[in-house]
Amino acid sequence: MDILLFEGWCVGAQPWKDGAEPINALERQEDADGIWRDYINTQLAGPYRALFAQLDVLLMLKVPDMDSVLEWRRLQERKLCARTGGGMSDEELERFVQHYERITRNLLTEMPARADCIFELGRNHRICAMCLRRADDGR
């Protein structure tokens, strides 16, 4: 049996249903008309939906919140900087994370109802709970 692991921040993301009102500074300042947000949502509804439909099993590493996303990524950047001298500044990092904030918030809201397995992560990066969805009860 062959297994292919497809991993990434937004794997399995679905288009969002909420309005396209800006939710952060990046969207307010650089996409006030929602052109980029509309493009991303169109891609999630089209090519990415087709790609994600091929997944046999969907596992979710569920972060506590967006503050954790930013803090954990900041930790990664600091480790990268210590190891290589490179990496993003705090300002660059905040801007970077804002690109994914809308998708991440949508994932945190809707994915738990459809993921085959959810690993709830605590603020210490450790798994603090796990939920398996059973075929007979939809969870």
Side-chain angles (χ1 to χ4, degrees), residues 20-38 91-92 94-99 102:
E21 292 298 316
I23 63 167
N24 58 38
L26 178 87
E27 290 184 356
R28 279 189 300 280
Q29 296 165 5
E30 298 182 37
D31 191 32
D33 295 331
I35 294 168
W36 180 247
R37 292 190 301 277
D38 288 345
E91 294 78 23
E92 291 169 324
E94 287 179 25
R95 183 177 187 280
F96 173 77
V97 169
Q98 286 181 37
H99 285 89
R102 180 176 297 273

Short mmCIF file of all heavy atoms in Angstrom, two decimals, residues 20-38 91-92 94-99 102:
data_model
loop_
_atom_site.label_atom_id
_atom_site.label_comp_id
_atom_site.label_asym_id
_atom_site.label_seq_id
_atom_site.Cartn_x
_atom_site.Cartn_y
_atom_site.Cartn_z
N ALA A 20 -17.06 39.55 2.61
CA ALA A 20 -15.67 39.78 2.29
C ALA A 20 -15.16 41.09 2.90
O ALA A 20 -14.23 41.69 2.40
CB ALA A 20 -15.47 39.78 0.78
N GLU A 21 -15.80 41.53 3.98
CA GLU A 21 -15.33 42.74 4.64
C GLU A 21 -13.91 42.50 5.16
O GLU A 21 -13.59 41.41 5.64
CB GLU A 21 -16.25 43.10 5.81
CG GLU A 21 -17.64 43.54 5.40
CD GLU A 21 -17.62 44.80 4.55
OE1 GLU A 21 -16.88 45.74 4.89
OE2 GLU A 21 -18.34 44.83 3.54
N PRO A 22 -13.05 43.49 5.08
CA PRO A 22 -11.68 43.32 5.58
C PRO A 22 -11.68 42.93 7.06
O PRO A 22 -12.46 43.45 7.85
CB PRO A 22 -11.06 44.71 5.39
CG PRO A 22 -11.88 45.36 4.33
CD PRO A 22 -13.27 44.82 4.51
N ILE A 23 -10.79 41.99 7.41
CA ILE A 23 -10.72 41.54 8.80
C ILE A 23 -9.41 41.92 9.48
O ILE A 23 -9.24 41.68 10.67
CB ILE A 23 -10.92 40.01 8.92
CG1 ILE A 23 -9.82 39.26 8.19
CG2 ILE A 23 -12.30 39.61 8.46
CD1 ILE A 23 -9.78 37.78 8.53
N ASN A 24 -8.46 42.49 8.72
CA ASN A 24 -7.19 42.89 9.31
C ASN A 24 -6.62 44.08 8.52
O ASN A 24 -7.19 44.49 7.51
CB ASN A 24 -6.21 41.71 9.38
CG ASN A 24 -5.92 41.10 8.02
OD1 ASN A 24 -5.82 41.79 7.01
ND2 ASN A 24 -5.79 39.79 7.98
N ALA A 25 -5.50 44.59 8.99
CA ALA A 25 -4.90 45.77 8.37
C ALA A 25 -4.49 45.51 6.92
O ALA A 25 -4.67 46.37 6.06
CB ALA A 25 -3.69 46.23 9.19
N LEU A 26 -3.95 44.34 6.64
CA LEU A 26 -3.54 44.02 5.28
C LEU A 26 -4.73 44.10 4.31
O LEU A 26 -4.63 44.73 3.26
CB LEU A 26 -2.92 42.62 5.22
CG LEU A 26 -2.50 42.17 3.82
CD1 LEU A 26 -1.10 42.64 3.51
CD2 LEU A 26 -2.60 40.68 3.68
N GLU A 27 -5.83 43.50 4.69
CA GLU A 27 -7.01 43.53 3.82
C GLU A 27 -7.56 44.95 3.68
O GLU A 27 -7.96 45.36 2.59
CB GLU A 27 -8.09 42.59 4.34
CG GLU A 27 -7.72 41.13 4.19
CD GLU A 27 -8.81 40.17 4.62
OE1 GLU A 27 -9.87 40.63 5.12
OE2 GLU A 27 -8.61 38.96 4.46
N ARG A 28 -7.57 45.71 4.77
CA ARG A 28 -8.08 47.08 4.71
C ARG A 28 -7.21 47.97 3.84
O ARG A 28 -7.71 48.78 3.06
CB ARG A 28 -8.18 47.68 6.11
CG ARG A 28 -9.42 47.26 6.88
CD ARG A 28 -9.59 48.04 8.17
NE ARG A 28 -8.48 47.87 9.11
CZ ARG A 28 -8.32 46.82 9.91
NH1 ARG A 28 -9.19 45.84 9.89
NH2 ARG A 28 -7.30 46.76 10.73
N GLN A 29 -5.89 47.82 3.97
CA GLN A 29 -4.96 48.73 3.30
C GLN A 29 -4.58 48.30 1.89
O GLN A 29 -4.36 49.14 1.03
CB GLN A 29 -3.70 48.90 4.15
CG GLN A 29 -3.99 49.55 5.48
CD GLN A 29 -2.84 49.40 6.46
OE1 GLN A 29 -1.78 48.89 6.15
NE2 GLN A 29 -3.07 49.85 7.70
N GLU A 30 -4.49 46.99 1.64
CA GLU A 30 -3.97 46.52 0.36
C GLU A 30 -5.00 45.80 -0.50
O GLU A 30 -4.70 45.46 -1.65
CB GLU A 30 -2.76 45.62 0.60
CG GLU A 30 -1.62 46.36 1.28
CD GLU A 30 -0.39 45.51 1.46
OE1 GLU A 30 -0.09 44.68 0.56
OE2 GLU A 30 0.29 45.66 2.49
N ASP A 31 -6.19 45.55 0.04
CA ASP A 31 -7.24 44.87 -0.73
C ASP A 31 -8.61 45.41 -0.33
O ASP A 31 -9.55 44.65 -0.13
CB ASP A 31 -7.16 43.35 -0.51
CG ASP A 31 -8.04 42.57 -1.47
OD1 ASP A 31 -8.23 43.02 -2.62
OD2 ASP A 31 -8.55 41.51 -1.06
N ALA A 32 -8.69 46.71 -0.25
CA ALA A 32 -9.94 47.35 0.20
C ALA A 32 -11.13 46.97 -0.68
O ALA A 32 -12.26 46.86 -0.19
CB ALA A 32 -9.76 48.87 0.22
N ASP A 33 -10.90 46.74 -1.97
CA ASP A 33 -11.99 46.37 -2.89
C ASP A 33 -12.28 44.87 -2.91
O ASP A 33 -13.21 44.44 -3.59
CB ASP A 33 -11.67 46.84 -4.31
CG ASP A 33 -11.61 48.36 -4.41
OD1 ASP A 33 -12.31 49.03 -3.62
OD2 ASP A 33 -10.87 48.86 -5.27
N GLY A 34 -11.49 44.08 -2.19
CA GLY A 34 -11.74 42.65 -2.09
C GLY A 34 -11.35 41.84 -3.33
O GLY A 34 -11.76 40.68 -3.45
N ILE A 35 -10.55 42.41 -4.20
CA ILE A 35 -10.17 41.70 -5.44
C ILE A 35 -9.37 40.43 -5.11
O ILE A 35 -9.66 39.35 -5.63
CB ILE A 35 -9.38 42.63 -6.38
CG1 ILE A 35 -10.30 43.76 -6.85
CG2 ILE A 35 -8.78 41.86 -7.55
CD1 ILE A 35 -9.59 44.90 -7.55
N TRP A 36 -8.38 40.55 -4.25
CA TRP A 36 -7.57 39.39 -3.89
C TRP A 36 -8.40 38.38 -3.10
O TRP A 36 -8.32 37.18 -3.33
CB TRP A 36 -6.34 39.83 -3.09
CG TRP A 36 -5.46 38.69 -2.68
CD1 TRP A 36 -5.23 38.23 -1.42
CD2 TRP A 36 -4.69 37.85 -3.55
NE1 TRP A 36 -4.37 37.16 -1.44
CE2 TRP A 36 -4.02 36.91 -2.74
CE3 TRP A 36 -4.50 37.80 -4.92
CZ2 TRP A 36 -3.18 35.93 -3.26
CZ3 TRP A 36 -3.67 36.82 -5.44
CH2 TRP A 36 -3.02 35.91 -4.62
N ARG A 37 -9.23 38.85 -2.16
CA ARG A 37 -10.08 37.95 -1.38
C ARG A 37 -11.02 37.17 -2.29
O ARG A 37 -11.20 35.96 -2.11
CB ARG A 37 -10.87 38.73 -0.33
CG ARG A 37 -9.98 39.32 0.75
CD ARG A 37 -10.76 39.90 1.91
NE ARG A 37 -11.68 40.97 1.57
CZ ARG A 37 -11.35 42.25 1.43
NH1 ARG A 37 -10.09 42.62 1.55
NH2 ARG A 37 -12.26 43.16 1.16
N ASP A 38 -11.60 37.85 -3.28
CA ASP A 38 -12.48 37.16 -4.23
C ASP A 38 -11.72 36.11 -5.03
O ASP A 38 -12.22 35.01 -5.28
CB ASP A 38 -13.14 38.16 -5.19
CG ASP A 38 -14.20 39.01 -4.52
OD1 ASP A 38 -14.64 38.65 -3.41
OD2 ASP A 38 -14.58 40.03 -5.12
N GLU A 91 7.50 42.73 12.14
CA GLU A 91 6.58 43.44 11.25
C GLU A 91 6.30 42.63 9.98
O GLU A 91 5.15 42.53 9.55
CB GLU A 91 7.13 44.82 10.87
CG GLU A 91 7.24 45.78 12.04
CD GLU A 91 8.45 45.53 12.94
OE1 GLU A 91 9.45 44.92 12.48
OE2 GLU A 91 8.38 45.91 14.12
N GLU A 92 7.33 42.05 9.40
CA GLU A 92 7.16 41.22 8.21
C GLU A 92 6.32 39.99 8.53
O GLU A 92 5.47 39.59 7.74
CB GLU A 92 8.52 40.79 7.65
CG GLU A 92 9.33 41.92 7.06
CD GLU A 92 10.77 41.52 6.78
OE1 GLU A 92 11.36 40.74 7.54
OE2 GLU A 92 11.31 42.02 5.76
N GLU A 94 4.03 39.63 10.95
CA GLU A 94 2.63 39.99 11.15
C GLU A 94 1.92 40.19 9.81
O GLU A 94 0.78 39.75 9.63
CB GLU A 94 2.52 41.25 12.02
CG GLU A 94 2.85 40.96 13.47
CD GLU A 94 2.79 42.19 14.35
OE1 GLU A 94 2.08 43.15 14.00
OE2 GLU A 94 3.46 42.18 15.40
N ARG A 95 2.60 40.82 8.87
CA ARG A 95 2.01 41.02 7.54
C ARG A 95 1.81 39.67 6.85
O ARG A 95 0.78 39.41 6.25
CB ARG A 95 2.91 41.93 6.70
CG ARG A 95 2.35 42.23 5.33
CD ARG A 95 3.27 43.20 4.55
NE ARG A 95 2.65 43.59 3.33
CZ ARG A 95 2.62 42.85 2.21
NH1 ARG A 95 3.19 41.65 2.20
NH2 ARG A 95 2.04 43.29 1.12
N PHE A 96 2.81 38.80 6.94
CA PHE A 96 2.73 37.47 6.33
C PHE A 96 1.54 36.68 6.85
O PHE A 96 0.74 36.14 6.09
CB PHE A 96 4.04 36.71 6.59
CG PHE A 96 4.02 35.29 6.16
CD1 PHE A 96 4.15 34.93 4.82
CD2 PHE A 96 3.87 34.27 7.10
CE1 PHE A 96 4.12 33.61 4.42
CE2 PHE A 96 3.83 32.94 6.71
CZ PHE A 96 3.96 32.61 5.37
N VAL A 97 1.38 36.64 8.17
CA VAL A 97 0.30 35.86 8.78
C VAL A 97 -1.07 36.43 8.38
O VAL A 97 -2.02 35.67 8.20
CB VAL A 97 0.48 35.79 10.31
CG1 VAL A 97 -0.76 35.23 11.00
CG2 VAL A 97 1.70 34.93 10.66
N GLN A 98 -1.16 37.74 8.21
CA GLN A 98 -2.43 38.34 7.81
C GLN A 98 -2.92 37.82 6.45
O GLN A 98 -4.12 37.77 6.21
CB GLN A 98 -2.32 39.87 7.78
CG GLN A 98 -2.30 40.48 9.16
CD GLN A 98 -2.21 41.98 9.12
OE1 GLN A 98 -2.81 42.63 8.26
NE2 GLN A 98 -1.48 42.55 10.07
N HIS A 99 -2.01 37.41 5.58
CA HIS A 99 -2.41 36.83 4.30
C HIS A 99 -3.26 35.57 4.49
O HIS A 99 -4.09 35.25 3.66
CB HIS A 99 -1.18 36.46 3.45
CG HIS A 99 -0.48 37.62 2.84
ND1 HIS A 99 0.52 38.30 3.49
CD2 HIS A 99 -0.65 38.22 1.64
CE1 HIS A 99 0.96 39.27 2.70
NE2 HIS A 99 0.26 39.24 1.57
N ARG A 102 -7.79 34.99 7.21
CA ARG A 102 -9.18 34.70 6.84
C ARG A 102 -9.37 33.20 6.62
O ARG A 102 -10.33 32.59 7.11
CB ARG A 102 -9.57 35.47 5.57
CG ARG A 102 -10.99 35.20 5.12
CD ARG A 102 -11.35 36.05 3.91
NE ARG A 102 -11.30 37.46 4.23
CZ ARG A 102 -12.30 38.15 4.74
NH1 ARG A 102 -13.45 37.56 4.99
NH2 ARG A 102 -12.18 39.43 5.01
#
